[in-house]
Amino acid sequence: MKTTCRILALVQAVLLLAGLVIPALAAGEITPYFNNVIGAYSTASVSSNGNLSVTNRISGVQGTTSKVVVTTYVEKKILGLFWSRVDIGQPDDQWVDTVYGASFNKTHTYQLTSTGTYRVTAIFVVSGTGGADDEIVRTSEVTYS
């Protein structure tokens, strides 16, 4: 009788835990919701001759998205530990793009001067009638060898 009760209690415990874990696994990835934009995207690539290309774009909401400010900067990994801002020949070593409207798609290029690992950060600030400004940060790393 004691053994049966213990087995029954163990089965109940396993079922209870499974009931808590399975819905969490089924939920999948959580997609953030933004007030004024559907999404913001930034991609970076480097060619074999060291030409860095950064493309930033947004998918805005017509009638809601009114202004987009994108600040993009490049950093180089130093000694495998630290990131140092790269002088790209712009004020504050960053590209700042502003557009009024629901769409944005812009590519910047820069000729890298040395091999290494580079990180590109794009900060999107999207304003509109949907509520508070959305601030979205996208980063990507590329290696020039």
Side-chain angles (χ1 to χ4, degrees), residues 44-52 75-77 83 112 114-120 140-145:
S45 62
V46 64
S47 67
S48 59
N49 65 352
N51 190 27
L52 175 69
E75 297 169 299
K76 182 178 182 185
K77 193 175 245 185
W83 293 101
L112 299 174
S114 62
T115 59
T117 300
Y118 291 84
R119 177 172 66 184
V120 177
S140 54
E141 287 185 24
V142 293
T143 301
Y144 173 40
S145 49

Side-chain angles (χ1 to χ4, degrees), residues 35 38 43 77 81 116 124 131 133:
N35 294 322
I38 295 169
T43 57
K77 193 175 245 185
L81 298 171
F124 298 81
D133 290 355

Side-chain angles (χ1 to χ4, degrees), residues 37-82:
V37 67
I38 295 169
Y41 314 93
S42 182
T43 57
S45 62
V46 64
S47 67
S48 59
N49 65 352
N51 190 27
L52 175 69
S53 177
V54 180
T55 301
N56 297 320
R57 70 180 179 86
I58 66 147
S59 295
V61 180
Q62 198 66 30
T64 300
T65 306
S66 59
K67 179 182 176 186
V68 181
V69 178
V70 184
T71 304
T72 309
Y73 58 90
V74 180
E75 297 169 299
K76 182 178 182 185
K77 193 175 245 185
I78 306 297
L79 301 173
L81 298 171
F82 307 102

